[in-house]
Amino acid sequence: MTPLEARLAALAAAGETIAYGQIARDLGWTMAQLTSSLETLMEADAAAGKPFRAALLRQRLSPDRLPAPGFFQKAAELGRPTDDPAAFTEAERTALHLCANIPG
């Protein structure tokens, strides 16, 4: 498990989100490194039929705490319906929180 995956798993288990800049700083990564890693994770999640772990990230100044537009663009490219960004994000986050708290 990569440091990013471990951090996202902890966020899912705690039912929390984090701003892109904060997780990049925490990991010592550039935003380009973070973006690339998130896109790779989204591709893996889509291939496995799992909720997008990248949904746990949010724009720092977003009043609705939604992910950045690139998240929705990538999700749409991967075949997920993003017509209602707020509902899509909520569904992804709920699924992640549930998965993280069900013993496997």
Side-chain angles (χ1 to χ4, degrees):
M1 182 179 290
T2 68
L4 176 60
E5 289 173 301
R7 187 68 191 274
L8 293 174
L11 288 167
E16 297 175 352
T17 63
I18 192 169
Y20 290 93
Q22 183 62 54
I23 197 167
R25 282 189 299 278
D26 291 351
L27 295 171
W29 291 2
T30 65
M31 287 302 289
Q33 289 171 308
L34 178 63
T35 300
S36 176
S37 294
L38 288 171
E39 288 183 356
T40 299
L41 280 180
M42 289 180 75
E43 291 165 1
D45 290 343
K50 294 183 177 180
F52 290 131
R53 292 171 281 181
L56 297 172
L57 279 77
R58 58 181 159 69
Q59 297 179 82
R60 184 175 61 91
L61 299 177
S62 172
D64 47 15
R65 303 174 63 84
L66 291 179
F71 167 78
F72 299 105
Q73 292 168 349
K74 185 68 174 179
E77 286 174 21
L78 294 169
R80 302 267 175 100
T82 61
D83 302 353
D84 183 341
F88 176 70
T89 301
E90 182 61 29
E92 294 292 296
R93 288 176 178 169
T94 298
L96 287 163
H97 299 320
L98 290 173
C99 290
N101 290 297
I102 296 173

PDB file of all heavy atoms in Angstrom, residues 70-93:
ATOM      1  N   GLY A  70     -11.344  18.200 -12.179  1.00  0.00           N
ATOM      2  CA  GLY A  70     -10.624  17.098 -12.807  1.00  0.00           C
ATOM      3  C   GLY A  70     -11.081  15.734 -12.314  1.00  0.00           C
ATOM      4  O   GLY A  70     -11.046  14.750 -13.059  1.00  0.00           O
ATOM      5  N   PHE A  71     -11.511  15.659 -11.049  1.00  0.00           N
ATOM      6  CA  PHE A  71     -12.027  14.404 -10.502  1.00  0.00           C
ATOM      7  C   PHE A  71     -13.248  13.955 -11.295  1.00  0.00           C
ATOM      8  O   PHE A  71     -13.370  12.788 -11.672  1.00  0.00           O
ATOM      9  CB  PHE A  71     -12.385  14.579  -9.017  1.00  0.00           C
ATOM     10  CG  PHE A  71     -13.204  13.458  -8.460  1.00  0.00           C
ATOM     11  CD1 PHE A  71     -12.613  12.255  -8.112  1.00  0.00           C
ATOM     12  CD2 PHE A  71     -14.572  13.596  -8.280  1.00  0.00           C
ATOM     13  CE1 PHE A  71     -13.372  11.206  -7.592  1.00  0.00           C
ATOM     14  CE2 PHE A  71     -15.338  12.564  -7.774  1.00  0.00           C
ATOM     15  CZ  PHE A  71     -14.730  11.364  -7.429  1.00  0.00           C
ATOM     16  N   PHE A  72     -14.150  14.882 -11.551  1.00  0.00           N
ATOM     17  CA  PHE A  72     -15.385  14.548 -12.264  1.00  0.00           C
ATOM     18  C   PHE A  72     -15.110  14.229 -13.727  1.00  0.00           C
ATOM     19  O   PHE A  72     -15.745  13.341 -14.296  1.00  0.00           O
ATOM     20  CB  PHE A  72     -16.404  15.686 -12.116  1.00  0.00           C
ATOM     21  CG  PHE A  72     -16.776  15.927 -10.684  1.00  0.00           C
ATOM     22  CD1 PHE A  72     -16.282  17.023  -9.998  1.00  0.00           C
ATOM     23  CD2 PHE A  72     -17.575  15.032  -9.989  1.00  0.00           C
ATOM     24  CE1 PHE A  72     -16.592  17.235  -8.668  1.00  0.00           C
ATOM     25  CE2 PHE A  72     -17.890  15.226  -8.653  1.00  0.00           C
ATOM     26  CZ  PHE A  72     -17.401  16.338  -7.994  1.00  0.00           C
ATOM     27  N   GLN A  73     -14.148  14.929 -14.333  1.00  0.00           N
ATOM     28  CA  GLN A  73     -13.778  14.641 -15.712  1.00  0.00           C
ATOM     29  C   GLN A  73     -13.217  13.225 -15.829  1.00  0.00           C
ATOM     30  O   GLN A  73     -13.593  12.474 -16.726  1.00  0.00           O
ATOM     31  CB  GLN A  73     -12.751  15.661 -16.210  1.00  0.00           C
ATOM     32  CG  GLN A  73     -13.324  17.048 -16.354  1.00  0.00           C
ATOM     33  CD  GLN A  73     -12.253  18.111 -16.559  1.00  0.00           C
ATOM     34  OE1 GLN A  73     -11.060  17.865 -16.398  1.00  0.00           O
ATOM     35  NE2 GLN A  73     -12.684  19.310 -16.889  1.00  0.00           N
ATOM     36  N   LYS A  74     -12.333  12.864 -14.903  1.00  0.00           N
ATOM     37  CA  LYS A  74     -11.730  11.524 -14.932  1.00  0.00           C
ATOM     38  C   LYS A  74     -12.798  10.463 -14.663  1.00  0.00           C
ATOM     39  O   LYS A  74     -12.822   9.417 -15.309  1.00  0.00           O
ATOM     40  CB  LYS A  74     -10.596  11.434 -13.913  1.00  0.00           C
ATOM     41  CG  LYS A  74      -9.831  10.137 -13.948  1.00  0.00           C
ATOM     42  CD  LYS A  74      -9.035  10.002 -15.231  1.00  0.00           C
ATOM     43  CE  LYS A  74      -8.155   8.773 -15.210  1.00  0.00           C
ATOM     44  NZ  LYS A  74      -7.400   8.602 -16.447  1.00  0.00           N
ATOM     45  N   ALA A  75     -13.682  10.720 -13.703  1.00  0.00           N
ATOM     46  CA  ALA A  75     -14.753   9.765 -13.395  1.00  0.00           C
ATOM     47  C   ALA A  75     -15.627   9.533 -14.620  1.00  0.00           C
ATOM     48  O   ALA A  75     -15.996   8.394 -14.928  1.00  0.00           O
ATOM     49  CB  ALA A  75     -15.585  10.270 -12.222  1.00  0.00           C
ATOM     50  N   ALA A  76     -15.964  10.606 -15.335  1.00  0.00           N
ATOM     51  CA  ALA A  76     -16.783  10.474 -16.543  1.00  0.00           C
ATOM     52  C   ALA A  76     -16.035   9.680 -17.614  1.00  0.00           C
ATOM     53  O   ALA A  76     -16.629   8.821 -18.280  1.00  0.00           O
ATOM     54  CB  ALA A  76     -17.169  11.856 -17.064  1.00  0.00           C
ATOM     55  N   GLU A  77     -14.734   9.935 -17.774  1.00  0.00           N
ATOM     56  CA  GLU A  77     -13.923   9.180 -18.734  1.00  0.00           C
ATOM     57  C   GLU A  77     -13.938   7.687 -18.409  1.00  0.00           C
ATOM     58  O   GLU A  77     -13.876   6.850 -19.299  1.00  0.00           O
ATOM     59  CB  GLU A  77     -12.467   9.646 -18.706  1.00  0.00           C
ATOM     60  CG  GLU A  77     -12.202  10.973 -19.344  1.00  0.00           C
ATOM     61  CD  GLU A  77     -10.756  11.420 -19.144  1.00  0.00           C
ATOM     62  OE1 GLU A  77      -9.877  10.573 -18.865  1.00  0.00           O
ATOM     63  OE2 GLU A  77     -10.517  12.636 -19.242  1.00  0.00           O
ATOM     64  N   LEU A  78     -14.025   7.381 -17.120  1.00  0.00           N
ATOM     65  CA  LEU A  78     -14.014   5.996 -16.672  1.00  0.00           C
ATOM     66  C   LEU A  78     -15.411   5.383 -16.612  1.00  0.00           C
ATOM     67  O   LEU A  78     -15.595   4.274 -16.112  1.00  0.00           O
ATOM     68  CB  LEU A  78     -13.318   5.901 -15.310  1.00  0.00           C
ATOM     69  CG  LEU A  78     -11.825   6.249 -15.334  1.00  0.00           C
ATOM     70  CD1 LEU A  78     -11.271   6.389 -13.921  1.00  0.00           C
ATOM     71  CD2 LEU A  78     -11.043   5.201 -16.120  1.00  0.00           C
ATOM     72  N   GLY A  79     -16.410   6.120 -17.114  1.00  0.00           N
ATOM     73  CA  GLY A  79     -17.746   5.571 -17.258  1.00  0.00           C
ATOM     74  C   GLY A  79     -18.687   5.746 -16.082  1.00  0.00           C
ATOM     75  O   GLY A  79     -19.751   5.136 -16.050  1.00  0.00           O
ATOM     76  N   ARG A  80     -18.311   6.595 -15.131  1.00  0.00           N
ATOM     77  CA  ARG A  80     -19.213   6.838 -14.006  1.00  0.00           C
ATOM     78  C   ARG A  80     -20.066   8.073 -14.278  1.00  0.00           C
ATOM     79  O   ARG A  80     -19.576   9.067 -14.807  1.00  0.00           O
ATOM     80  CB  ARG A  80     -18.408   7.048 -12.712  1.00  0.00           C
ATOM     81  CG  ARG A  80     -17.497   5.892 -12.334  1.00  0.00           C
ATOM     82  CD  ARG A  80     -18.155   4.903 -11.404  1.00  0.00           C
ATOM     83  NE  ARG A  80     -17.312   3.760 -11.155  1.00  0.00           N
ATOM     84  CZ  ARG A  80     -16.560   3.589 -10.062  1.00  0.00           C
ATOM     85  NH1 ARG A  80     -16.543   4.493  -9.114  1.00  0.00           N
ATOM     86  NH2 ARG A  80     -15.837   2.493  -9.922  1.00  0.00           N
ATOM     87  N   PRO A  81     -21.352   8.019 -13.911  1.00  0.00           N
ATOM     88  CA  PRO A  81     -22.242   9.164 -14.151  1.00  0.00           C
ATOM     89  C   PRO A  81     -21.969  10.296 -13.156  1.00  0.00           C
ATOM     90  O   PRO A  81     -22.060  10.102 -11.949  1.00  0.00           O
ATOM     91  CB  PRO A  81     -23.640   8.575 -13.940  1.00  0.00           C
ATOM     92  CG  PRO A  81     -23.417   7.437 -12.984  1.00  0.00           C
ATOM     93  CD  PRO A  81     -22.039   6.896 -13.293  1.00  0.00           C
ATOM     94  N   THR A  82     -21.625  11.456 -13.687  1.00  0.00           N
ATOM     95  CA  THR A  82     -21.296  12.593 -12.812  1.00  0.00           C
ATOM     96  C   THR A  82     -22.209  13.788 -13.082  1.00  0.00           C
ATOM     97  O   THR A  82     -21.823  14.926 -12.826  1.00  0.00           O
ATOM     98  CB  THR A  82     -19.825  13.000 -13.006  1.00  0.00           C
ATOM     99  OG1 THR A  82     -19.634  13.393 -14.373  1.00  0.00           O
ATOM    100  CG2 THR A  82     -18.874  11.878 -12.667  1.00  0.00           C
ATOM    101  N   ASP A  83     -23.406  13.521 -13.593  1.00  0.00           N
ATOM    102  CA  ASP A  83     -24.335  14.602 -13.927  1.00  0.00           C
ATOM    103  C   ASP A  83     -24.659  15.478 -12.723  1.00  0.00           C
ATOM    104  O   ASP A  83     -24.854  16.675 -12.862  1.00  0.00           O
ATOM    105  CB  ASP A  83     -25.647  14.035 -14.485  1.00  0.00           C
ATOM    106  CG  ASP A  83     -25.436  13.180 -15.717  1.00  0.00           C
ATOM    107  OD1 ASP A  83     -24.301  13.117 -16.227  1.00  0.00           O
ATOM    108  OD2 ASP A  83     -26.406  12.560 -16.168  1.00  0.00           O
ATOM    109  N   ASP A  84     -24.744  14.867 -11.553  1.00  0.00           N
ATOM    110  CA  ASP A  84     -25.022  15.587 -10.313  1.00  0.00           C
ATOM    111  C   ASP A  84     -23.786  15.424  -9.420  1.00  0.00           C
ATOM    112  O   ASP A  84     -23.674  14.454  -8.668  1.00  0.00           O
ATOM    113  CB  ASP A  84     -26.262  15.004  -9.635  1.00  0.00           C
ATOM    114  CG  ASP A  84     -26.655  15.741  -8.375  1.00  0.00           C
ATOM    115  OD1 ASP A  84     -25.819  16.465  -7.795  1.00  0.00           O
ATOM    116  OD2 ASP A  84     -27.810  15.578  -7.944  1.00  0.00           O
ATOM    117  N   PRO A  85     -22.832  16.360  -9.521  1.00  0.00           N
ATOM    118  CA  PRO A  85     -21.578  16.207  -8.800  1.00  0.00           C
ATOM    119  C   PRO A  85     -21.733  16.002  -7.291  1.00  0.00           C
ATOM    120  O   PRO A  85     -21.035  15.171  -6.712  1.00  0.00           O
ATOM    121  CB  PRO A  85     -20.829  17.504  -9.101  1.00  0.00           C
ATOM    122  CG  PRO A  85     -21.378  17.961 -10.406  1.00  0.00           C
ATOM    123  CD  PRO A  85     -22.828  17.553 -10.367  1.00  0.00           C
ATOM    124  N   ALA A  86     -22.646  16.725  -6.667  1.00  0.00           N
ATOM    125  CA  ALA A  86     -22.822  16.592  -5.213  1.00  0.00           C
ATOM    126  C   ALA A  86     -23.331  15.201  -4.854  1.00  0.00           C
ATOM    127  O   ALA A  86     -22.816  14.558  -3.927  1.00  0.00           O
ATOM    128  CB  ALA A  86     -23.766  17.668  -4.689  1.00  0.00           C
ATOM    129  N   ALA A  87     -24.329  14.712  -5.580  1.00  0.00           N
ATOM    130  CA  ALA A  87     -24.885  13.383  -5.289  1.00  0.00           C
ATOM    131  C   ALA A  87     -23.851  12.288  -5.595  1.00  0.00           C
ATOM    132  O   ALA A  87     -23.724  11.325  -4.832  1.00  0.00           O
ATOM    133  CB  ALA A  87     -26.160  13.154  -6.095  1.00  0.00           C
ATOM    134  N   PHE A  88     -23.127  12.449  -6.697  1.00  0.00           N
ATOM    135  CA  PHE A  88     -22.099  11.473  -7.054  1.00  0.00           C
ATOM    136  C   PHE A  88     -21.032  11.407  -5.967  1.00  0.00           C
ATOM    137  O   PHE A  88     -20.649  10.323  -5.517  1.00  0.00           O
ATOM    138  CB  PHE A  88     -21.476  11.844  -8.407  1.00  0.00           C
ATOM    139  CG  PHE A  88     -20.339  10.951  -8.794  1.00  0.00           C
ATOM    140  CD1 PHE A  88     -20.560   9.637  -9.156  1.00  0.00           C
ATOM    141  CD2 PHE A  88     -19.032  11.425  -8.786  1.00  0.00           C
ATOM    142  CE1 PHE A  88     -19.495   8.800  -9.512  1.00  0.00           C
ATOM    143  CE2 PHE A  88     -17.973  10.610  -9.140  1.00  0.00           C
ATOM    144  CZ  PHE A  88     -18.205   9.296  -9.499  1.00  0.00           C
ATOM    145  N   THR A  89     -20.556  12.564  -5.535  1.00  0.00           N
ATOM    146  CA  THR A  89     -19.523  12.614  -4.494  1.00  0.00           C
ATOM    147  C   THR A  89     -20.024  11.989  -3.200  1.00  0.00           C
ATOM    148  O   THR A  89     -19.311  11.199  -2.569  1.00  0.00           O
ATOM    149  CB  THR A  89     -19.081  14.065  -4.245  1.00  0.00           C
ATOM    150  OG1 THR A  89     -18.577  14.606  -5.472  1.00  0.00           O
ATOM    151  CG2 THR A  89     -18.005  14.140  -3.181  1.00  0.00           C
ATOM    152  N   GLU A  90     -21.233  12.321  -2.807  1.00  0.00           N
ATOM    153  CA  GLU A  90     -21.794  11.776  -1.573  1.00  0.00           C
ATOM    154  C   GLU A  90     -21.905  10.256  -1.647  1.00  0.00           C
ATOM    155  O   GLU A  90     -21.574   9.545  -0.691  1.00  0.00           O
ATOM    156  CB  GLU A  90     -23.167  12.388  -1.293  1.00  0.00           C
ATOM    157  CG  GLU A  90     -23.806  11.905  -0.008  1.00  0.00           C
ATOM    158  CD  GLU A  90     -23.004  12.227   1.250  1.00  0.00           C
ATOM    159  OE1 GLU A  90     -22.280  13.233   1.263  1.00  0.00           O
ATOM    160  OE2 GLU A  90     -23.104  11.454   2.231  1.00  0.00           O
ATOM    161  N   ALA A  91     -22.354   9.742  -2.774  1.00  0.00           N
ATOM    162  CA  ALA A  91     -22.480   8.289  -2.927  1.00  0.00           C
ATOM    163  C   ALA A  91     -21.116   7.603  -2.857  1.00  0.00           C
ATOM    164  O   ALA A  91     -20.968   6.560  -2.206  1.00  0.00           O
ATOM    165  CB  ALA A  91     -23.170   7.957  -4.251  1.00  0.00           C
ATOM    166  N   GLU A  92     -20.116   8.193  -3.516  1.00  0.00           N
ATOM    167  CA  GLU A  92     -18.771   7.612  -3.484  1.00  0.00           C
ATOM    168  C   GLU A  92     -18.212   7.632  -2.058  1.00  0.00           C
ATOM    169  O   GLU A  92     -17.664   6.634  -1.572  1.00  0.00           O
ATOM    170  CB  GLU A  92     -17.827   8.374  -4.425  1.00  0.00           C
ATOM    171  CG  GLU A  92     -18.175   8.251  -5.890  1.00  0.00           C
ATOM    172  CD  GLU A  92     -17.971   6.850  -6.443  1.00  0.00           C
ATOM    173  OE1 GLU A  92     -16.827   6.373  -6.470  1.00  0.00           O
ATOM    174  OE2 GLU A  92     -18.968   6.244  -6.868  1.00  0.00           O
ATOM    175  N   ARG A  93     -18.357   8.765  -1.381  1.00  0.00           N
ATOM    176  CA  ARG A  93     -17.831   8.876  -0.016  1.00  0.00           C
ATOM    177  C   ARG A  93     -18.546   7.924   0.937  1.00  0.00           C
ATOM    178  O   ARG A  93     -17.911   7.290   1.774  1.00  0.00           O
ATOM    179  CB  ARG A  93     -17.936  10.324   0.473  1.00  0.00           C
ATOM    180  CG  ARG A  93     -16.942  11.239  -0.217  1.00  0.00           C
ATOM    181  CD  ARG A  93     -17.120  12.681   0.190  1.00  0.00           C
ATOM    182  NE  ARG A  93     -16.118  13.528  -0.457  1.00  0.00           N
ATOM    183  CZ  ARG A  93     -16.156  14.850  -0.446  1.00  0.00           C
ATOM    184  NH1 ARG A  93     -17.148  15.495   0.178  1.00  0.00           N
ATOM    185  NH2 ARG A  93     -15.209  15.542  -1.058  1.00  0.00           N
TER     186      ARG A  93
END
